[in-house]
Amino acid sequence: MQTSSQLLMVRPANFGFNPETAGNNFYQKVDERSAEDIRELARKEFDGMVAMLRDQGVNVLVIDDSAVPKKTDSVFPNNWFSTHPDGKVILYPMFSPNRRLERRKDIIEQLMQRGFKVNEIIDLSFFEESHQFLEGTGSMVLDHQAKVIYACYSDRTHPLPLEYVAKILGYQVVGFEAVQEVQGKVSPIYHTNVMMHVGTNLAVVCLDSIAKAFDRRLVQESLTRSGKKVIPITPKQKFNFAGNMLEVGNDGGEKFTVMSQTALDSLNVGQIQQIEKYTTIISPSIPTIEKLGGGSVRCMMAEIFLAKNQ
């Protein structure tokens, strides 16, 4: 299954600008509003997104962030854990020391208490000791059907933990370099899910950001070979989070592509029609979370692929 109808989302307690991550996340912007105003706006945006998903029958388990220790980025749980149909839960090595506080065993325990079957917890945080990182499904875009991991290398996505996860899951890696120009300077894109999305039938990808022609062709051919309709986006659309999408389902078998209102507004009519050919679009408005957090809707949703106990 490429999509899950069960999502886990963490309602933020102390959302705000994180200077530790801003060094290589050029999507983050400083905001002059008060910390309390920012926290309240982020919670409203979060609640609005949850309501939109639930209105379409998507199951969303909301976990409240713990107020202590303070975690500015807890709203992005997909970076620290992933779940898999065989009962594996993988915990990931995080680039920013203050983001490592987001790894909460009690969240995994809550899943188990709700009847989800966890057979094995694989903790890869030991890679942090050697300064090697892999930030979950931010660093990796997974094609579960074709068993392929797409990953652009960066300070947050290192080859060794990537190959380690591929071996655990039995997936192949399609690795490449993806770059963007910010204020005249070319830098690596910090997370793969900023520049590409893979759904059941389609893939949205900023091919122009892939530095080498060979890699560009490799990614395009891999996606086409696995039966995906490739929808290219421009670097400008990528900066508007148009690569940061996730396909989700509901219990009725309907499929939805979740993208922010910012992302939807950046797409042209043809791109929207191609996406709507396969899925219904859900587009929550989360400008505060995007501006200060430097991430969008995909980062806010951790898919739960675990089976339920009978």
Side-chain angles (χ1 to χ4, degrees):
M1 288 284 291
Q2 181 64 16
T3 59
S4 174
S5 61
Q6 177 70 61
L7 305 174
L8 183 146
M9 296 176 64
V10 177
R11 190 172 192 266
N14 289 296
F15 178 79
F17 183 84
N18 184 352
E20 274 192 19
T21 56
N24 57 24
N25 179 350
F26 302 105
Y27 296 76
Q28 289 177 246
K29 303 286 186 291
V30 177
D31 195 297
E32 299 304 321
R33 289 172 292 189
S34 74
E36 187 46 51
D37 282 351
I38 287 164
R39 286 197 290 266
E40 191 54 38
L41 281 166
R43 285 192 284 264
K44 279 183 180 170
E45 291 173 8
F46 176 92
D47 292 342
M49 177 170 162
V50 170
M52 287 182 82
L53 289 163
R54 286 176 172 167
D55 282 348
Q56 296 292 352
V58 181
N59 300 304
V60 184
L61 170 59
V62 174
I63 305 283
D64 282 312
D65 180 24
S66 52
V68 179
K70 185 177 176 182
K71 303 176 288 298
T72 55
D73 293 306
S74 62
V75 74
F76 303 133
N78 79 311
N79 295 145
W80 68 263
F81 85 104
S82 66
T83 68
H84 304 273
D86 60 359
K88 286 188 179 76
V89 174
I90 303 175
L91 309 181
Y92 291 95
M94 306 282 282
F95 168 80
S96 169
N98 66 19
R99 288 209 64 192
R100 296 168 196 171
L101 301 169
E102 295 169 34
R103 283 192 301 257
R104 287 170 51 190
K105 292 285 175 68
D106 68 292
I107 288 181
I108 309 304
E109 286 164 6
Q110 286 190 58
L111 286 172
M112 294 165 76
Q113 286 162 10
R114 289 167 189 269
F116 290 101
K117 195 181 291 185
V118 175
N119 297 324
E120 187 181 8
I121 298 173
I122 301 168
D123 187 349
L124 303 183
S125 60
F126 65 86
F127 276 109
E128 291 163 358
E129 295 164 21
S130 54
H131 304 288
Q132 296 186 83
F133 311 112
L134 186 71
E135 297 194 330
T137 53
S139 290
M140 304 179 295
V141 172
L142 303 172
D143 184 341
H144 296 293
Q145 295 161 301
K147 297 191 181 303
V148 174
I149 298 172
Y150 294 94
C152 61
Y153 301 113
S154 72
D155 288 344
R156 304 196 195 188
T157 305
H158 288 127
L160 196 59
L162 178 62
E163 293 294 345
Y164 198 96
V165 169
K167 196 167 283 187
I168 289 168
L169 297 179
Y171 284 27
Q172 285 185 308
V173 172
V174 174
F176 53 93
E177 291 173 14
V179 296
Q180 57 197 358
E181 190 174 317
V182 181
Q183 297 172 341
K185 184 184 171 191
V186 175
S187 305
I189 292 176
Y190 78 107
H191 273 165
T192 314
N193 76 1
V194 167
M195 51 77 62
M196 75 180 292
H197 151 67
V198 174
T200 305
N201 301 110
L202 57 86
V204 176
V205 57
C206 183
L207 292 166
D208 290 346
S209 69
I210 301 176
K212 297 173 183 167
F214 174 81
D215 287 343
R216 204 156 46 239
R217 195 163 59 248
L218 186 71
V219 169
Q220 195 160 9
E221 286 175 357
S222 176
L223 290 167
T224 305
R225 192 164 54 246
S226 60
K228 311 297 179 193
K229 166 70 179 171
V230 178
I231 303 170
I233 56 171
T234 66
K236 186 178 179 184
Q237 289 173 324
K238 173 189 60 63
F239 274 113
N240 283 290
F241 297 104
N244 198 250
M245 303 176 181
L246 182 66
E247 186 179 290
V248 302
N250 64 16
D251 291 339
E254 295 175 280
K255 288 188 170 61
F256 306 91
T257 298
V258 190
M259 67 184 79
S260 72
Q261 191 63 47
T262 306
L264 180 61
D265 290 344
S266 77
L267 298 178
N268 63 44
V269 174
Q271 291 167 321
I272 293 168
Q273 285 174 341
Q274 286 181 309
I275 293 167
E276 288 182 328
K277 194 171 155 188
Y278 301 103
T279 62
T280 301
I281 292 173
I282 300 175
S283 55
S285 180
I286 55 160
T288 308
I289 291 172
E290 287 179 325
K291 180 182 177 184
L292 280 94
S296 190
V297 294
R298 195 279 165 261
C299 314
M300 295 168 66
M301 298 178 284
E303 302 145 283
I304 306 304
F305 286 106
L306 299 168
K308 275 278 187 101
N309 288 313
Q310 297 300 319

